Amino acid sequence: MIENYVAFDFETAKGKNACSIGIVEFNKGKVVNEYYSLINPNIGKFNPFATRIHGIRESDVLNEPEFNEVWNNINHFFDNKVIIAHNSSFDISVLNYSLQRYNLKNPINNCYCTLRISRKVLELENYKLSTLAEYYSIQQDNYHNALEDAYICGKVFSKLLLEIDDVDSFFKNTLTNSIKRKKPQSQTNSFNSFKELEEEKIDRRFKVEQIFGVMTNILKGETIVISGVFESISRNELKKLIEDNGGKVSSSISAKTSYIVAGNNMGPSKKDKAEKLDIMLINEYEFLQRIK
């Protein structure tokens, strides 16, 4: 039986650049330690779409530590511990990216995903963290706050354990997300190559699957243009998600366009028009964060 574990959550400024982290350590379902910090990602301008989600702005982190300083305070949480996250592939990718960026040694751990586990043991309309919190009557006041999301994740995990008859067998056969162990790299080119390959390669499919069929008005009043080719979702799926959440899809860019969900190979003429009209471009991950 798993009694001691650590839940964590990142919020990001753009791509995989973290702007906050929340960590909560549990013992037998009760909180025994917690940590929260804003993080200065040192990237300049935040993606305004990300700020709209979690409320953190560039000005909020100007005097905050960068990840390498934060890591000195939190690395013990990841050392030989059972690690938990919701949609862990994303949070692990942010952790791996941050460690690589600052040439820090990676811990050796696996991370269990409450999204994957809940999909295996529960039958719900969707498997958002907020849905699971409501299902288990866990109070949630500040969605997309990294510390609260880590707390909710850990409490959900303790509830999920009670749904499983043979925990040892279940986890023996459950896939985990590895926190990759890599030797520190001394050359900047190594990180640049990593950044180019990994910046947008986030496992988003779990986010897509958990929000299909959920009808909301979160995009009400917004006119959205879809352009380019996407990695984890088709254009038709994007269109359906927009319409299911109260938005309107337009084929042309105009002053009425709220923003553009931009994939690879977006046409240069559309980019030029968006720039002239000062219309924001967001990627598929940032769009999914908006409606998750």
Side-chain angles (χ1 to χ4, degrees), residues 10-159:
F10 280 110
E11 297 296 334
T12 55
K14 182 168 64 176
K16 296 182 184 180
N17 294 281
C19 60
S20 72
I21 185 171
I23 303 172
V24 182
E25 185 174 3
F26 291 82
N27 182 29
K28 298 180 180 179
K30 296 186 181 299
V31 175
V32 295
N33 204 355
E34 64 180 39
Y35 177 92
Y36 175 79
S37 179
L38 291 171
I39 300 170
N40 185 349
N42 197 19
I43 59 168
K45 187 174 177 59
F46 282 31
N47 188 314
F49 199 76
T51 294
R52 192 186 307 175
I53 293 169
H54 49 58
I56 302 171
R57 303 177 182 278
E58 299 98 308
S59 58
D60 295 326
V61 301
L62 284 177
N63 297 315
E64 299 297 332
E66 292 190 34
F67 180 82
N68 57 330
E69 300 174 71
V70 172
W71 184 246
N72 291 330
N73 297 322
I74 66 174
N75 64 77
H76 65 279
F77 283 110
F78 297 89
D79 187 17
N80 295 316
K81 301 284 180 64
V82 175
I83 307 298
I84 311 297
H86 193 72
N87 192 34
S88 59
S89 56
F90 169 68
D91 293 288
I92 291 300
S93 72
V94 174
L95 179 60
N96 283 329
Y97 175 87
S98 302
L99 291 168
Q100 181 78 3
R101 180 181 180 185
Y102 290 98
N103 196 29
L104 298 168
K105 183 180 178 181
N106 290 26
I108 307 169
N109 271 310
N110 289 321
C111 183
Y112 291 115
C113 179
T114 49
L115 172 57
R116 294 187 181 190
I117 296 168
S118 62
R119 290 173 64 88
K120 285 178 175 288
V121 303
L122 299 176
E123 293 185 7
L124 301 176
E125 184 177 283
N126 67 78
Y127 299 88
K128 300 179 187 180
L129 189 59
S130 56
T131 300
L132 293 170
E134 183 178 359
Y135 177 77
Y136 284 122
S137 299
I138 302 169
Q139 185 175 346
Q140 186 175 36
D141 300 316
N142 197 4
Y143 196 28
H144 288 303
N145 171 276
L147 184 61
E148 177 158 317
D149 284 359
Y151 170 77
I152 297 295
C153 176
K155 295 298 288 186
V156 164
F157 183 71
S158 69
K159 300 291 187 181

Side-chain angles (χ1 to χ4, degrees), residues 269-279:
S269 61
K270 285 191 174 182
K271 285 185 178 179
D272 289 342
K273 190 167 185 179
E275 185 174 346
K276 288 177 181 177
L277 294 174
D278 195 25
I279 296 172

Side-chain angles (χ1 to χ4, degrees), residues 184-227:
Q185 301 293 323
S186 58
Q187 298 181 358
T188 303
N189 288 339
S190 297
F191 174 69
N192 289 338
S193 297
F194 173 85
K195 182 176 180 179
E196 292 171 2
L197 290 171
E198 297 295 326
E199 177 71 25
E200 296 303 332
K201 289 186 178 180
I202 299 169
D203 179 8
R204 307 182 188 104
R205 193 63 205 178
F206 286 106
K207 287 185 180 294
V208 174
E209 291 176 355
Q210 67 174 322
I211 56 183
F212 269 127
V214 181
M215 311 291 284
T216 78
N217 288 318
I218 197 168
L219 303 180
K220 185 177 180 180
E222 296 185 352
T223 300
I224 302 166
V225 171
I226 301 169
S227 182

